[in-house]
Amino acid sequence: MGWLRNTFSELGNDSTEVKRIRYARACIIEMIGGYLMPNLSRNLVHLRWLLKLVDFRAAGKLSWGFVVLATLY
């Protein structure tokens, strides 16, 4: 997760739409891998969650609350 924080540290006002999308994906990956569904080392994100973020429209239709609870228990 340190690489994400260093690479996508701050988004400037003059950023392009592509940079904003990349920054949003990096923030979502950090939330998933660091806070919601971390592994034991807290520095990796499982591939099954990354594949769900390929299409943002489809990812918005998923029940993420249920996924987090299922992972927790």
Side-chain angles (χ1 to χ4, degrees):
M1 293 297 140
W3 179 84
L4 277 174
R5 287 186 204 107
N6 293 338
T7 305
F8 300 99
S9 60
E10 188 175 325
L11 190 62
N13 292 335
D14 60 343
S15 61
T16 62
E17 184 176 355
V18 173
K19 287 184 180 180
R20 288 189 298 244
I21 290 172
R22 289 179 183 164
Y23 183 80
R25 285 185 177 163
C27 289
I28 292 170
I29 290 171
E30 186 176 4
M31 282 189 283
I32 290 174
Y35 308 115
L36 299 176
M37 295 171 268
N39 63 353
L40 294 176
S41 63
R42 299 185 66 107
N43 65 351
L44 300 173
V45 178
H46 198 279
L47 182 61
R48 67 178 151 198
W49 309 127
L50 292 178
L51 292 175
K52 302 293 183 191
L53 296 177
V54 172
D55 184 13
F56 269 153
R57 290 189 179 120
K61 296 177 182 176
L62 295 174
S63 177
W64 286 101
F66 178 73
V67 172
V68 171
L69 285 175
T71 305
L72 179 64
Y73 297 106

